[in-house]
Amino acid sequence: MARWAIAIHGGAGVDPNLPEHRQEEAKRVLARCLQLGVDLLRAGTPALDVVEAVVRELESDPCFNSGRGSALSRSGSVEMEASIMDGRGRRCGAVSGVSTVKNPVSLARRVMEKSPHSYLAFDGAEEFAREQGLEVVDNSYFITEENVGMLKLAKEANSILFDYRIPLTGADTCSALAAASEKNHGAGNGMVMNGLPISIYAPETVGCAVVDSTGACAAATSTGGLMNKMNGRIGDSPLIGSGTYACKACAVSCTGEGEAIIRSTLARDVAAVMEYKGLPLQEAVDYCVNERLDEGFAGLIAVSGTGEVAYGFNCTGMFRGCATEDGFMEVGIWE
Amino acid sequence: MEASIMDGTTMGCGSVCGLSTVVNPISLARIVMEKTPHIYLAFNAAEAFARDQGVETMDPSHFITEENLERLGQAKEANRVQAMEGQPPIDDNSRTGTVGCVAVDLSGNLASATSTGGVVNKMAGRIGDTPIIGAGTYANTLCAVSATGKGEAIIRHTVARDVAALVEHRGLSLQEAAERVVAAVPRGSFGLVAVSGAGEVTMPFNTAGMFRACAADSGYSEVGIWPDADGDAGGES
């Protein structure tokens, strides 16, 4: 009889100076979503349903960069993307360029189950959502005041900004932002994304990986993408094999620098290393995080078909939570 | 149209999708790789970017052929029949294709590129395997792979990456790795072309045929459509 396990994340690459109350808030949201997953698993819910439900909950909370609370694109609108994968048969679904669908992860699941395709985007995805009767809202529903402020900062600094949870007071001038950047660089966090300097690095995306009591694995990832991204920019989150992957052996969801995750096909690599090199879950995760990312920053969560959980990241922190059937449960941010 | 390109030496990659006026999608994918902080641009934004960059564009009608209009008509008719019988739409890609190229140069650098218009009668907004790094396209320092066939199958099997992963983690030869990936799925799923850093070429497929060609420094070259007479797919190790 297989043992269930669940891992969730709210993004990798956390600013070490994140205010205490923000950290507490994030941990509360993570704990709540984790508990939701645990309750469902205890009730025998299949892995695919669990990952969808948990990611929906994460999308609905404005705390993280997905659904409501998504980072804003260059034009000030929200463009979301998500993917989901069922380890049984490796069915998958993904969407990009979603701007009115309340829960992108659910749309991704519909693409998988109700369309002849695996991936729909932009107008086509929006149209499909309406055909399927999914809940749609005005784009403004997803936009938070805080993110509007962060976008302004990002534009002023003319750089891609990750962390929107750095408080705006005292940092709403270009020079203050530059000073903050200096501080971070001085602290040895001289992080750069795709060749462009990043003022403050703390990307979010949300994800969930689950193995249920029948041993079936599933994973899902959802995001609003990079703050101030070019409209139409697609990241790793909707790309099967990069941001999300699930098979018989494991389920994986990644977060961090999209480019690094894509070029290393990170999620798939964890599974490939388990399958082709015979490594157990934690070793596979460590190998991929340490050897695969080169200069890129990223993190991932994973579960194995045998009920283990693992996570890894090579940056300053990752919002995460894990729980296993034997009662282990933890929520964390730092190492 | 959609396309992707990958540089095996730098592991840089570029993808575009949802294009309707860009004459050479693959070149736009390369520009995304080399001139933007991103990997993947789509739809309206990709079109706008193309104009920004001054790449050649033409009216969408430039890309449409009579033959394809007829195919679309047939496909819609077939789907109509399917729908009447209460079945989901069929995704029949049997007579159209994707194009791709993999190469290794004299210094051992590898690269892969794939480009397509997608499936006949696809849903608007459908993205296939072609612009997805790891699925339709992949290159690293060991090999370069470009896949073609049923997009959904190529995505879920992360075909291009899998070939490379078998070579890398299992130590299989290029040909073994490629054949294994192709053999692991139902007939009629997909095919691929691949080259290795050592100059080997392989072109396995499990579909009725695959338009293909290859050439190697040794002087070997081949152009084909159907399986070889002895049943093997083409290629030289």
Side-chain angles (χ1 to χ4, degrees):
Chain A
M1 169 79 177
R3 297 171 304 142
W4 58 256
I6 174 173
I8 66 174
H9 73 76
V14 185
D15 179 30
N17 300 311
L18 190 65
E20 195 63 43
H21 72 276
R22 296 290 199 172
Q23 295 186 40
E24 290 309 311
E25 186 196 341
K27 290 208 281 200
R28 269 197 305 274
V29 176
L30 286 168
R32 192 182 83 233
C33 297
L34 188 64
Q35 189 63 52
L36 169 67
V38 167
D39 292 342
L40 287 169
L41 283 164
R42 281 197 182 126
T45 312
L48 194 65
D49 295 337
V50 177
V51 296
E52 187 192 355
V54 172
V55 171
R56 280 178 70 98
E57 191 64 28
L58 288 162
E59 282 171 343
S60 303
D61 198 298
C63 183
F64 297 115
N65 175 1
S66 71
R68 193 154 155 253
S70 279
L72 306 185
S73 67
R74 188 173 285 192
S75 69
S77 66
V78 161
E79 259 179 32
M80 302 168 286
E81 44 199 24
S83 61
I84 189 167
M85 190 161 186
D86 182 353
R88 293 167 310 175
R90 286 179 285 176
R91 303 179 303 148
C92 38
V95 290
S96 282
V98 172
S99 50
T100 66
V101 179
K102 198 158 179 221
N103 290 101
V105 70
S106 294
L107 184 59
R109 183 170 181 177
R110 288 295 173 101
V111 170
M112 175 173 82
E113 296 180 332
K114 297 275 163 79
S115 86
H117 303 315
S118 288
Y119 191 1
L120 288 183
F122 292 88
D123 289 348
E126 291 276 323
E127 202 183 297
F128 181 64
R130 281 154 181 77
E131 271 171 35
Q132 291 289 313
L134 288 182
E135 198 178 347
V136 297
V137 293
D138 195 71
N139 195 253
S140 56
Y141 161 84
F142 305 102
I143 300 175
T144 61
E145 230 181 78
E146 212 180 313
N147 280 337
V148 171
M150 291 315 281
L151 180 64
K152 191 158 164 285
L153 282 182
K155 283 182 184 297
E156 280 168 10
N158 195 31
S159 59
I160 303 171
L161 191 70
F162 274 110
D163 180 33
Y164 56 73
R165 290 158 316 98
I166 299 298
L168 295 185
T169 47
D172 51 3
T173 61
C174 204
S175 53
L177 198 63
S181 170
E182 278 303 298
K183 189 159 71 118
N184 278 343
H185 282 241
N189 286 354
M191 303 195 200
V192 172
M193 164 81 174
N194 291 325
L196 288 194
I198 298 299
S199 312
I200 294 142
Y201 183 98
E204 281 101 46
T205 283
V206 301
C208 180
V210 159
V211 52
D212 64 27
S213 51
T214 69
C217 296
T221 313
S222 177
T223 187
L226 295 181
M227 184 68 73
N228 199 28
K229 68 182 179 183
M230 286 171 77
N231 287 80
R233 176 264 188 184
I234 292 180
D236 64 284
S237 298
L239 302 186
I240 297 297
S242 291
T244 302
Y245 191 76
C247 57
K248 281 211 204 102
C250 65
V252 185
S253 171
C254 307
T255 164
E257 290 189 313
E259 207 219 14
I261 296 169
I262 293 174
R263 63 158 56 144
S264 60
T265 52
L266 195 59
R268 173 64 183 122
D269 250 39
V270 172
V273 160
M274 283 181 77
E275 194 181 345
Y276 302 143
K277 273 177 114 121
L279 295 191
L281 186 72
Q282 185 69 60
E283 272 182 54
V285 168
D286 292 341
Y287 172 80
C288 289
V289 167
N290 296 328
E291 307 292 333
R292 277 326 203 196
L293 292 169
D294 301 320
E295 294 96 41
F297 291 110
L300 64 96
I301 51 162
V303 296
S304 72
T306 50
E308 304 153 289
V309 273
Y311 60 82
F313 51 93
N314 68 353
C315 37
T316 49
M318 180 171 74
F319 293 106
R320 66 195 179 268
C322 348
T324 56
E325 194 170 331
D326 58 10
F328 170 74
M329 195 153 165
E330 136 188 308
V331 165
I333 303 180
W334 315 111
E335 283 288 343
Chain B
M1 297 169 285
E2 49 201 31
S4 65
I5 191 166
M6 189 160 185
D7 178 343
T9 310
T10 62
M11 304 288 284
C13 16
S15 294
V16 289
C17 64
L19 297 180
S20 50
T21 69
V22 176
V23 174
N24 291 105
I26 194 64
S27 296
L28 189 65
R30 184 169 184 179
I31 296 177
V32 171
M33 173 172 86
E34 295 179 337
K35 300 249 175 84
T36 75
H38 303 313
I39 282 192
Y40 195 170
L41 288 184
F43 291 84
N44 294 345
E47 288 276 328
F49 179 66
R51 276 153 186 74
D52 247 7
Q53 294 291 312
V55 305
E56 199 185 346
T57 57
M58 299 211 61
D59 192 77
S61 57
H62 161 89
F63 304 94
I64 300 175
T65 63
E66 274 230 16
E67 210 180 308
N68 279 335
L69 280 172
E70 211 182 291
R71 280 204 184 111
L72 179 61
Q74 287 172 2
K76 282 190 188 290
E77 185 59 36
N79 274 344
R80 200 181 63 82
V81 171
Q82 288 287 93
M84 274 164 46
E85 292 169 358
Q87 294 183 354
I90 34 175
D91 180 13
D92 180 14
N93 206 10
S94 59
R95 277 151 314 173
T96 63
T98 289
V99 301
C101 180
V102 290
V104 55
D105 64 23
L106 286 171
S107 316
N109 297 311
L110 290 142
S112 171
T114 317
S115 178
T116 189
V119 200
V120 179
N121 199 27
K122 65 185 178 186
M123 287 172 74
R126 178 264 190 179
I127 296 179
D129 64 286
T130 294
I132 301 188
I133 298 295
T137 300
Y138 190 77
N140 60 12
T141 52
L142 292 173
C143 63
V145 186
S146 171
T148 168
K150 290 199 170 130
E152 284 68 26
I154 296 171
I155 290 174
R156 68 152 62 123
H157 291 282
T158 52
V159 170
R161 175 60 185 128
D162 237 41
V163 173
L166 283 167
V167 170
E168 189 178 345
H169 299 310
R170 269 280 170 85
L172 298 191
S173 73
L174 183 73
Q175 180 148 5
E176 280 170 354
E179 281 173 2
R180 203 170 117 154
V181 170
V182 166
V185 292
R187 287 206 67 77
S189 296
F190 52 72
L192 61 97
V193 292
V195 293
S196 72
E200 307 153 285
V201 188
T202 182
M203 306 185 291
F205 53 93
N206 68 7
T207 47
M210 179 172 82
F211 294 103
R212 63 194 186 279
C214 67
D217 207 354
S218 59
Y220 176 78
S221 82
E222 174 190 324
V223 173
I225 301 178
W226 312 112
D228 288 347
D230 55 1
D232 290 337
E236 166 187 79
S237 299

